[in-house]
């Protein structure tokens, strides 16, 4: 769903389009194991605060005119709030996820069941490990778009060719090297079809060269803002929803003509996620 919502007044030309998101409330959210450097099981989690922050994010999307559907949370799956990891959707085709860690494996089943129940005609169970939009970022939902595909910590590099075949669009492979940025969506934010924000230090030199060639006007994030998962952002082409502490990134985004929309995700950061991790885009 990409119908135009607003066209900003002025010379920036940034246009928001109506989006369709799938989210899962953190009813069972907890940090019970450590599968990324952000997770510390000994640190207490305030589930009520996590729910409040998640709901504020949901209401932010609704306030921007977007559609939000909900995935039913499953007991025993504390990371299910990070709905972006459960699938990748482009042109109405759903490539399901296959998680690297057993603790999250059942989430993939719940996602596929939701898409089947929602009437999507093609829902593919993958052969290789891919962690959905965590590592597969669709740039331009139109037929000419590409997928930026991360590997290095979670997604199997063989899943990149599988994604290209299933989603029917070129895939650009990128290798991550910093374990803090274990998913591509923690190191790259797709702002619109031609613009990304990114952290070069999170990638191999070869992958840095690929991104610099493809996005010569990319916005380079401040290391401090990336360290609060500032790049784990969601854009509708004009509005960029990002973690509130990423103030320098928000200012830089505004200078490019986008409208930053800060949200507090401090409690959900304890599991290693921000706005994007909690938001799966359903591109029908």
């Amino acid at each position: 769903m990409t119908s135009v919502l607003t066209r900003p007044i002025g010379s920036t030309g940034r246009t928001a389009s109506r989006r369709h998101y799938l989210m899962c409330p953190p009813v069972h959210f907890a940090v019970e194991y450590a599968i990324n450097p952000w997770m510390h099981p000994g640190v207490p989690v305030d589930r009520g605060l996590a729910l409040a922050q998640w709901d504020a994010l949901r209401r932010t999307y609704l306030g921007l005119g977007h559609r939000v559907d909900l995935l039913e949370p499953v007991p025993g799956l504390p990371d299910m709030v990070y709905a972006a990891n459960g699938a990748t959707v482009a042109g109405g085709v759903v490539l399901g996820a296959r998680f690297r860690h057993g603790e999250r494996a059942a989430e993939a089943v719940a996602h596929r069941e939701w898409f089947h129940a929602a009437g999507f005609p093609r829902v593919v169970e993958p052969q290789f490990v891919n962690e959905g939009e965590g590592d597969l970022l669709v740039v331009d939902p139109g037929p000419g778009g590409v997928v930026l595909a991360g590997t290095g910590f979670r997604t199997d590099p063989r899943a990149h060719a599988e994604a290209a075949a299933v989603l029917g669009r070129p895939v650009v492979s990128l290798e991550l090297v910093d374990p803090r940025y274990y998913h591509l969506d923690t190191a790259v934010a797709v702002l619109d079809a031609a613009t990304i924000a990114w952290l070069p230090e999170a990638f191999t030199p070869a992958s840095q060269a690929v991104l610099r060639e493809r996005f010569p006007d990319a916005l380079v994030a401040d290391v401090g803002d990336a360290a609060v998962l500032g790049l784990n952002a969601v854009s509708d082409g004009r509005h960029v929803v990002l973690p509130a502490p990423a103030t320098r990134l928000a200012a830089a985004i505004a200078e490019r003509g986008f409208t930053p929309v800060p949200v507090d995700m401090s409690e959900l950061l304890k599991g290693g996620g921000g706005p994007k991790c909690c938001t799966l885009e359903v591109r029908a």
Side-chain angles (χ1 to χ4, degrees), residues 160-203:
H160 294 181
E162 185 174 30
V166 172
L167 299 176
R169 59 193 62 213
V171 167
V172 178
S173 294
L174 302 165
E175 186 175 0
L176 297 158
V177 294
D178 188 329
R180 293 175 298 171
Y181 309 110
Y182 59 97
H183 275 152
L184 186 63
D185 69 353
T186 65
V188 171
V190 177
L191 303 182
D192 64 18
T195 314
I196 65 167
W198 69 308
L199 180 69
E201 296 92 328
F203 296 90

Side-chain angles (χ1 to χ4, degrees), residues 107-141:
E107 294 179 40
V109 178
H111 274 80
R112 291 197 304 272
E113 289 176 348
W114 187 91
F115 282 104
H116 281 301
F120 283 76
R122 190 174 182 210
V123 181
V124 177
E125 182 177 359
Q127 178 181 359
F128 301 109
V129 170
N130 87 71
E131 298 208 339
E133 286 194 325
D135 274 328
L136 300 173
L137 298 180
V138 177
V139 181
D140 187 355

Side-chain angles (χ1 to χ4, degrees), residues 5 8 16 27 37 84 93 105 131-133 138 143 152 158 174 176 212 235 260:
L5 281 177
V27 173
V93 176
E131 298 208 339
E133 286 194 325
V138 177
R158 294 172 294 179
L174 302 165
L176 297 158
R212 287 192 174 102
S235 175

